[in-house]
């Protein structure tokens, strides 16, 4: 699969592009089944307070591995598309599962991913994330919100809010007045590609339905960080054919990834309090 010229133009114009049905029903059901049975993921999940006492759980891993998580992150339909958007070879920066549980899943403050990743020695914002819906994402269960075209603002200063790094709200509030706010409602299997400088947030999940989401993040080869951090420097990514998602998923093998202890290793947001 290749992105069309119109999809690439939309990404550069809007800071994101939503691709419906990137993964089929069986593929996404296999991923969902694996995630919900993955005790190691559940045990490793860190709770990031949203500044209002509501936790958002997430599990993160740096290297994609050979299980179903790795097949999603390494399959050509995703990696080739990101390389089209960033116009360079890319490598896997990390993946994470956002576990926004029913009724209790907290909010994510307005932020840019590069607001975090800038702290890790990445000189350019030539980075992208791919969010794939495991559960249906709606306004009611706290779907992602983006400001259309906000990546053109450049990197905005970020400050620590609870356990999260949030963008300077003076600038965000002005941006909201001038830019269209888009609720990215998604069906399972849809994928949202968004730029490292795109402002985004999500509200608390007040519904009775969970919103679990896989996000795989990529960095351009030419943007190899100049210093070590808790995320990897340039590491060649071995792509796999798209059929490997189903083949590996049907095997039902373990995910084969090493989950990060973010409380110990993630200093990118905490370092903002030291600036």
């Amino acid at each position: 699969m290749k992105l069309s010229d119109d999809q690439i133009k939309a990404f550069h114009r809007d800071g994101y592009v939503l691709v419906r049905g990137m993964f089929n029903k069986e593929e996404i059901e296999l991923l969902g089944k694996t995630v919900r049975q993955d005790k190691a993921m559940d045990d490793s999940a860190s709770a990031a307070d949203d500044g209002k006492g509501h936790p958002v759980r997430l599990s993160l891993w740096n290297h994609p591995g050979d299980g179903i998580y790795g097949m999603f992150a390494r399959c050509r339909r995703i990696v080739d598309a990101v390389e089209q958007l960033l116009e360079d070879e890319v490598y896997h920066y990390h993946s994470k599962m956002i576990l926004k549980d029913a009724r209790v899943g907290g909010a994510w403050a307005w932020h840019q991913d590069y607001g975090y990743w800038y702290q890790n020695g990445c000189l350019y914002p030539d980075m992208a994330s791919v969010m794939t819906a495991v559960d249906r994402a709606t306004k009611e269960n706290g779907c992602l919100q983006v400001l259309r075209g906000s990546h053109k603002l450049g990197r905005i200063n970020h400050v620590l809010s609870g356990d999260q790094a949030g963008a300077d709200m003076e600038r965000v509030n002005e941006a909201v007045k001038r830019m269209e706010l888009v609720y990215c409602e998604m069906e399972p299997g849809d994928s949202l590609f968004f730029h490292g400088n795109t402002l985004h947030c999500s509200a608390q999940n007040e519904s009775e339905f969970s919103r679990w989401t896989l996000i795989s993040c990529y960095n351009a080869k030419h943007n190899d960080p100049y210093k070590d951090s808790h995320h990897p420097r340039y590491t060649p990514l071995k792509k796999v054919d798209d059929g490997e998602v189903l083949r590996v998923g049907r095997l039902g093998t373990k995910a084969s990834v090493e989950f990060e202890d973010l409380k110990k290793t993630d200093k990118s947001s905490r370092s903002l309090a030291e600036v």
Side-chain angles (χ1 to χ4, degrees), residues 139-174:
K139 290 182 181 180
E140 291 72 28
N141 68 3
C143 69
L144 197 77
Q145 302 171 39
V146 299
L147 284 185
R148 190 190 300 273
S150 57
H151 64 305
K152 297 178 181 178
L153 296 171
R155 186 184 69 86
I156 295 173
N157 286 338
H158 282 59
V159 296
L160 202 59
S161 175
D163 295 326
Q164 301 179 24
D168 177 1
M169 285 306 298
E170 178 181 341
R171 291 197 171 249
V172 172
N173 288 334
E174 288 302 316

Side-chain angles (χ1 to χ4, degrees), residues 100 135-143 203-211:
K100 188 171 279 197
D135 298 321
R136 191 164 180 255
T138 65
K139 290 182 181 180
E140 291 72 28
N141 68 3
C143 69
Q204 182 181 354
N205 184 0
E206 297 181 346
S207 79
E208 59 185 289
F209 302 103
S210 63
R211 184 178 75 81

Side-chain angles (χ1 to χ4, degrees), residues 227-259:
K227 64 180 180 180
D228 292 332
S229 74
H230 63 292
H231 294 318
R233 299 175 78 167
Y234 171 68
T235 309
L237 177 60
K238 185 177 180 182
K239 300 178 192 178
V240 297
D241 292 336
D242 291 337
E244 290 299 286
V245 175
L246 272 184
R247 188 188 71 81
V248 172
R250 287 169 176 169
L251 290 175
T253 54
K254 291 185 178 180
S256 73
V257 296
E258 183 177 346
F259 297 105

